[in-house]
Amino acid sequence: MENLPIEPLNNEASCHNDSTERKSHHSQEVKKALVSRLNRIEGQVRGVKRLVENDTYCDDVLTQIAAIQSALNGLGKLLLEGHMKSCVVERIQEGDTEVLDELLITVKKLMK
Amino acid sequence: MENLPIEPLNNEASCHNDSTERKSHHSQEVKKALVSRLNRIEGQVRGVKRLVENDTYCDDVLTQIAAIQSALNGLGKLLLEGHMKSCVVERIQEGDTEVLDELLITVKKLMK
Amino acid sequence: MENLPIEPLNNEASCHNDSTERKSHHSQEVKKALVSRLNRIEGQVRGVKRLVENDTYCDDVLTQIAAIQSALNGLGKLLLEGHMKSCVVERIQEGDTEVLDELLITVKKLMK
Amino acid sequence: MENLPIEPLNNEASCHNDSTERKSHHSQEVKKALVSRLNRIEGQVRGVKRLVENDTYCDDVLTQIAAIQSALNGLGKLLLEGHMKSCVVERIQEGDTEVLDELLITVKKLMK
């Protein structure tokens, strides 16, 4: 409605849209945190596979599956937070509100 | 990645409660299906890790996470079905209705 | 596998399958608890309607919706618990394991 | 059941932040759609109450609860969409990016 804040984006964590594809640049810290969580989730999945192969009682396997779902949900929230606090803000500041349409589609997928 | 214990599975599908711990014996077929799904999910998690390391745009990563959640949910349903159609029925037929209390606890974890 | 416990069911809380349709008899207590929760949920839904009509800020409305979802989830767990501890046990004791197939279908609906 | 405050709605769709509190003005159309969905959900909740009072078989009641959850989820998505396409865009255009922090909190509540 009013003026959009016009400010050059020269900071590192940017979501540039160069040439072919859009990229997301998390800080090294965030990236490390995400990868570490993903490694843990990968280990949990492998753990469940071992449980199945060892004929562990189903209740215990299902409990592990619930734990992975919870870990994935946490990861999704972390990633969404990083996304909204960097890429979404930046693209909006560039006057690109289309980013909100994309965000809506993504969030809906995570809601069901 | 790790060595899996190699043990012959010569019984059909029983949920015996011998000595120390309860075991669940899926048929070889079901087990194969479960392990194959788990391998796919493990691949998906590794895929997401690659996406994060390559700074793929967050919306795409979040969409992948939603896909893994959906795959895990499917796996949970399959496992629950196997459990209810074998162990739960058997234990009930042995007069052990405590199995239903355990089932209730497990199902509640999967509902949230 | 073994003998089914054969015992006459003469207790009040039964899930009889007479003539036309199956019925569920919760105890008066459980029924009261369920109805009281449902009244509260109905009030919450009416409250959200008022919020929308009064143009309350969306975040607040969405928070209320999340609260109703949580209340419904709690109600579902309570009902499932009542169901498993009465009808499911009883029908199984009557030798009717088909009840587990029905239960599986229901639980799957609550899992997604 | 209660009297609803009757107040004229003469503005389009703004999310003004006047005096005391923030308001959300959906268009009359969206508002009508939301209220109509809420009326239906209220009816569904009352329906479940009747089922419980009539001792309807639990599986059927639980299926109805799953249906209400699904309807609420749909309502949440509709409301979130309206919110993001009006209030969020407007406040951002006014230079108020704080709206994204609020949105993040709300979305997280809907994700679990």
Side-chain angles (χ1 to χ4, degrees), chain C residues 15 22-26 31 34-35 38-39 41-42 45-46 48-50 52-59 61-63 65-66 68-69 72-73 75-76 79-80 83 87 91 99 102-103 106 109-110, chain D residues 1-2 4-5 9 22-26 31 34-35 38-39 42 45-46 48-49 52-59 61-63 65 68-69 72-73 75-76 79-80 83 87 91 99 102 106 109-110:
Chain C
C15 316
R22 185 145 11 240
K23 284 282 184 181
S24 157
H25 282 177
H26 295 291
K31 218 160 139 171
L34 291 171
V35 169
L38 280 159
N39 280 332
I41 290 170
E42 196 187 328
V45 174
R46 255 202 308 267
V48 167
K49 202 163 61 182
R50 231 176 299 125
V52 168
E53 286 170 323
N54 290 352
D55 302 311
T56 304
Y57 197 61
C58 305
D59 276 311
V61 185
L62 286 166
T63 297
I65 289 176
I68 303 178
Q69 283 176 321
L72 267 176
N73 208 13
L75 178 75
L79 201 56
L80 185 70
H83 183 48
C87 305
R91 286 182 56 193
V99 67
E102 292 170 21
L103 180 64
T106 304
K109 283 184 197 144
L110 295 166
Chain D
M1 211 138 262
E2 307 85 327
L4 287 167
L9 267 177
R22 189 153 358 248
K23 283 282 183 178
S24 157
H25 282 178
H26 296 291
K31 218 159 140 172
L34 291 171
V35 169
L38 281 159
N39 279 332
E42 195 187 328
V45 175
R46 255 200 306 266
V48 168
K49 202 163 59 183
V52 169
E53 287 170 328
N54 292 349
D55 301 312
T56 304
Y57 197 60
C58 304
D59 276 311
V61 185
L62 285 166
T63 296
I65 288 176
I68 302 178
Q69 283 176 322
L72 266 176
N73 208 13
L75 178 74
L79 201 56
L80 185 70
H83 184 47
C87 305
R91 284 182 58 193
V99 67
E102 292 170 21
T106 304
K109 283 183 196 142
L110 296 166

Side-chain angles (χ1 to χ4, degrees), chain A residues 15 21-26 30-31 34-35 38-39 41-42 45-46 48-50 52-63 65-66 68-70 72-73 75-77 79-80 82-83 86-88 91 99 102-103 106-107 109-110 112, chain B residues 1-5 7 9 15 22-26 31 34-35 38-39 41-42 45-46 48-49 52-59 61-63 65-66 68-69 72-73 75-77 79-80 82-83 87-88 91 99 102-103 106 109-110 112:
Chain A
C15 316
E21 46 168 348
R22 190 153 356 249
K23 282 282 183 182
S24 156
H25 282 176
H26 295 291
V30 171
K31 219 160 139 171
L34 291 171
V35 169
L38 281 159
N39 279 332
I41 291 170
E42 196 187 327
V45 175
R46 255 200 308 265
V48 167
K49 203 163 59 182
R50 228 175 302 126
V52 168
E53 286 170 324
N54 290 351
D55 301 311
T56 303
Y57 197 59
C58 304
D59 276 311
D60 302 325
V61 185
L62 286 166
T63 296
I65 288 176
I68 302 178
Q69 282 176 321
S70 172
L72 266 177
N73 209 13
L75 178 75
K77 285 179 182 176
L79 201 56
L80 186 69
H83 183 48
S86 61
C87 306
V88 175
R91 284 183 56 194
V99 66
E102 293 170 20
L103 180 64
T106 304
V107 165
K109 283 184 196 142
L110 295 166
K112 70 156 184 297
Chain B
M1 211 138 262
E2 304 86 329
N3 288 336
L4 287 168
E7 50 170 336
L9 268 177
C15 316
R22 184 142 16 238
K23 283 281 184 182
S24 157
H25 282 178
H26 296 290
K31 218 160 142 172
L34 291 171
V35 169
L38 281 159
N39 279 332
I41 290 170
E42 195 187 329
V45 174
R46 256 200 306 264
V48 167
K49 202 163 60 182
V52 168
E53 286 169 328
N54 292 348
D55 301 311
T56 304
Y57 197 61
C58 305
D59 276 311
V61 184
L62 285 166
T63 297
I65 289 176
I68 303 178
Q69 282 176 321
L72 267 175
N73 209 12
L75 178 75
K77 286 179 182 175
L79 201 56
L80 185 70
H83 183 47
C87 305
V88 175
R91 286 182 55 195
V99 67
E102 292 171 20
L103 180 64
T106 303
K109 284 184 197 143
L110 295 167
K112 72 158 183 296

Side-chain angles (χ1 to χ4, degrees), chain C residues 14 18 21 28 30 33 61 64 77 79 86-87 89 106 109:
Chain C
S14 66
D18 56 359
E21 45 169 348
Q28 281 305 321
V30 171
V61 185
Q64 284 307 309
K77 285 178 182 175
L79 201 56
S86 60
C87 305
V89 171
T106 304
K109 283 184 197 144

